Amino acid sequence: MTVGGAGPRMLLCLFNICHAMGSRMDPFEEKLRRLKEAFKTGKTKSAKFRAEQLRNLSRFLQHNSKQLRDALAGDLGKSALESDISEIILCQNEVDLALKNLQTWMKDESVSTNLLTKLSSAFIRKEPFGVVLIIAPWNYPLNLLIVPLVGAIAAGNCAVLKPSEISKNTEKVLAELLPQYLDPSCFTVVLGGPEETGQLLKHKFDYIFFTGSPQVGKIVMTAAAKHLTPITLELGGKNPCYVDDDCDPQTVANRVAWFRYFNAGQTCVAPDYILCSQEMQERLVPALQNAITRFYGDNPQTSPNLGRIINQKHFKRLQGLLGCGRVVIGGQSDEGECYIAPTVLVDVRESEPVMQEEIFGPILPLVTVRSLDEAINFINQREKPLALYAFSNNSQVVNQMLERTSSGGFGGNDGFLYLTLPAMPLGGVGNSGMGRYHGKFSFDTFSHQRACLLRSPGMEMLNDLRYPPYGPWNQQFISWAMGSQSCTLL
């Protein structure tokens, strides 16, 4: 039998040609097919497999620490200390925590029952979603890929890892070395820029975890919506820092300067601007100058402890922001080194670009307000930030800021050290993101919590009261039984 003059052999040949062409046009199809097939076998669900992959991930971090430090220095000018405390050690701590608690996290969670389900076993089972996609940014290119991966592995998923092409040295290390440590049938690293990522997002994943800007986050969320794929968005925004009159300006300056200029300001939870009174500004500026000189010397450009801007594009963007307000500290730049000096701006107008976009660099604007209430109103009139900070010797001031605002995280009299605590979640709210991770929160993010109830097939007579026809007694008894909670069944 022929169809349109083509015999079965010709049709098969054409199909194979089209399939081969499609594979060449779509470099991700075969990799995704392999991961989906591996997940279907159930191999990722066992505690033994998960623990083995986590131990291999730990080996990757330990065996390649020098290559990772060198790559981070090449991409961002990070010192060995910054690379350790913000990337390698945090990743290792997440792996260690997951290995220590894996059996507990995986265990079915029993729930309380009512009289209608008294003889049943009711529990929540933590199941993996399947094949997940993790898209990492360039500013913490190791941390923001590996930490979500720990949660994905612990929860029993297969994973496609997309490191940022902008941090090219770290991308190269991840692409060449990480696959040597993980099961290649379950985990893969894919490369490319925006075009390739767009093509990748056309595929159906079981979960997507994205870290980046709100603008790109909207694109990723739109792609996920086409497949009704659940998603976590770790975004950013302009993080306010309120400094009360009742505090020591040098203490505040030391803490703010360290968090603002860490990683050359390229941190999504860094304080983006300061709100303070005119009087505090006059005291804070010399204190900030003192802190910057103490940390980075008289010429910060020669300091081994100050990073560099990731590339020319971001350097030029930041260089443009130096024209906002009035520079009172820093302001120097060197395009050849992608260097922007630790900078403080005053007399900044709300309408200027430095107050309209996330700075993501070593520039700190000071905005004057007349009171705590004015500062709170200023914050609440804008998008909810990923982080918010308040400094005061008066605990009531800090608590007022905490109670009357909303943000992903909050720091009172300190910066983002809470990120070193795996028991604390990292996640935004509103424009700064959705979802959360770190520690057990990562495991929960990559787990479907399946409601389960198991009942004996016998003792059917006990069910007669719930079957029609209904009478007043049935209604009264069932209403009472449903509202009656018993102890959790163990």
Side-chain angles (χ1 to χ4, degrees):
M1 180 180 177
T2 61
V3 180
R9 290 184 179 178
M10 183 177 290
L11 287 174
L12 180 60
C13 182
L14 287 171
F15 173 81
N16 289 335
I17 291 172
C18 291
H19 179 74
M21 290 178 64
S23 297
R24 285 197 297 270
M25 293 171 60
D26 185 347
F28 308 118
E29 184 175 345
E30 179 59 27
K31 291 182 177 181
L32 292 175
R33 185 198 63 77
R34 185 181 75 240
L35 265 62
K36 290 176 182 178
E37 288 300 319
F39 182 76
K40 287 179 182 177
T41 67
K43 67 186 295 185
T44 64
K45 292 186 177 182
S46 74
K48 181 181 177 182
F49 177 85
R50 302 184 200 192
E52 180 184 11
Q53 298 306 303
L54 288 170
R55 283 191 289 269
N56 288 342
L57 190 57
S58 178
R59 294 187 187 101
F60 162 75
L61 294 169
Q62 294 170 10
H63 294 173
N64 303 288
S65 59
K66 182 182 185 304
Q67 293 95 315
L68 290 168
R69 289 190 193 99
D70 290 345
L72 292 165
D75 287 329
L76 292 148
K78 289 194 182 189
S79 67
L81 178 65
E82 282 199 7
S83 293
D84 282 348
I85 65 176
S86 67
E87 305 258 17
I88 298 171
I89 292 175
L90 289 182
C91 292
Q92 186 63 59
N93 287 349
E94 290 282 334
V95 173
D96 293 344
L97 183 73
L99 281 169
K100 180 181 178 181
N101 294 282
L102 185 60
Q103 295 284 353
T104 301
W105 292 352
M106 289 178 62
K107 188 178 179 182
D108 290 342
E109 181 182 341
S110 298
V111 300
S112 59
T113 58
N114 54 32
L115 283 179
L116 286 180
T117 56
K118 179 67 176 175
L119 300 178
S120 304
S121 171
F123 58 92
I124 299 168
R125 174 153 294 176
K126 290 67 173 280
E127 296 186 339
F129 280 105
V131 177
V132 306
L133 170 63
I134 300 172
I135 304 175
W138 52 260
N139 59 323
Y140 290 89
L142 178 68
N143 178 334
L144 299 179
L145 186 80
I146 298 300
V147 172
L149 174 61
V150 172
I153 292 174
N157 297 280
C158 293
V160 176
L161 307 172
K162 172 61 182 70
S164 173
E165 75 285 359
I166 296 175
S167 47
K168 58 183 183 297
N169 293 293
T170 309
E171 178 195 44
K172 186 173 187 292
V173 172
L174 290 167
E176 292 180 358
L177 299 181
L178 184 57
Q180 299 177 21
Y181 292 83
L182 299 177
D183 188 322
S185 69
C186 300
F187 306 98
T188 187
V189 178
V190 298
L191 306 179
E195 183 179 348
E196 289 79 10
T197 304
Q199 191 173 10
L200 184 62
L201 286 167
K202 292 179 181 177
H203 291 275
K204 178 177 172 59
F205 290 91
D206 298 300
Y207 200 95
I208 296 175
F209 190 105
F210 169 79
T211 305
S213 69
Q215 293 79 9
V216 180
K218 292 176 183 178
I219 296 172
V220 175
M221 191 171 183
T222 299
K226 291 181 180 178
H227 300 291
L228 295 179
T229 300
I231 188 169
T232 289
L233 297 176
E234 293 294 338
L235 309 178
K238 296 189 71 64
N239 304 316
C241 177
Y242 175 69
V243 179
D244 186 37
D245 284 345
D246 182 11
C247 59
D248 175 50
Q250 192 59 62
T251 298
V252 174
N254 294 341
R255 298 179 187 183
V256 169
W258 189 64
F259 287 110
R260 170 71 274 189
Y261 305 121
F262 191 94
N263 197 31
Q266 298 164 117
T267 304
C268 59
V269 290
D272 198 82
Y273 62 94
I274 286 179
L275 295 171
C276 64
S277 68
Q278 183 66 41
E279 293 75 19
M280 175 50 72
Q281 177 177 291
E282 292 172 3
R283 299 164 62 199
L284 196 56
V285 168
L288 284 165
Q289 177 66 79
N290 182 57
I292 291 168
T293 302
R294 178 181 159 205
F295 295 168
Y296 307 112
D298 293 327
N299 182 8
Q301 188 171 358
T302 63
S303 171
N305 302 308
L306 186 66
R308 293 298 185 263
I309 306 308
I310 184 69
N311 59 22
Q312 293 287 323
K313 176 184 175 182
H314 287 279
F315 171 84
K316 290 184 179 299
R317 179 186 63 82
L318 290 166
Q319 198 174 40
L321 297 182
L322 293 174
C324 299
R326 177 168 59 92
V327 175
V328 291
I329 298 173
Q332 300 84 7
S333 62
D334 184 333
E335 186 173 353
E337 286 192 18
C338 284
Y339 166 76
I340 301 281
T343 298
V344 175
L345 304 175
V346 298
D347 302 335
V348 175
R349 296 191 303 274
E350 294 179 33
S351 59
E352 290 186 281
V354 76
M355 291 304 295
Q356 295 297 312
E357 62 184 72
E358 184 177 6
I359 296 171
F360 227 63
I363 301 171
L364 181 64
L366 272 58
V367 178
T368 58
V369 291
R370 289 166 294 188
S371 65
L372 172 64
D373 288 340
E374 185 177 339
I376 291 172
N377 289 336
F378 187 95
I379 293 167
N380 288 339
Q381 287 169 4
R382 287 155 177 78
E383 297 283 6
K384 294 179 180 180
L386 184 58
L388 193 157
Y389 306 101
F391 287 83
S392 178
N393 290 332
N394 187 340
S395 62
Q396 292 184 353
V397 170
V398 175
N399 288 332
Q400 279 284 305
M401 186 62 71
L402 176 59
E403 291 292 329
R404 296 168 59 188
T405 60
S406 177
S407 62
F410 181 87
N413 291 314
D414 210 346
F416 45 79
L417 273 181
Y418 60 87
L419 295 184
T420 65
L421 302 174
M424 299 274 272
L426 170 62
V429 56
N431 197 66
S432 57
M434 61 181 68
R436 56 189 181 173
Y437 74 121
H438 282 191
K440 186 175 183 294
F441 297 101
S442 299
F443 176 87
D444 291 340
T445 286
F446 287 103
S447 298
H448 165 60
Q449 300 203 17
R450 189 178 188 184
C452 304
L453 187 136
L454 305 181
R455 185 158 188 164
S456 167
M459 296 182 286
E460 179 62 12
M461 288 183 61
L462 295 176
N463 294 327
D464 284 349
L465 288 170
R466 70 187 187 189
Y467 298 146
Y470 302 125
W473 194 86
N474 303 67
Q475 182 176 353
Q476 183 179 4
F477 176 81
I478 291 174
S479 298
W480 173 74
M482 288 180 64
S484 149
Q485 297 293 314
S486 74
C487 297
T488 300
L489 295 177
L490 300 178

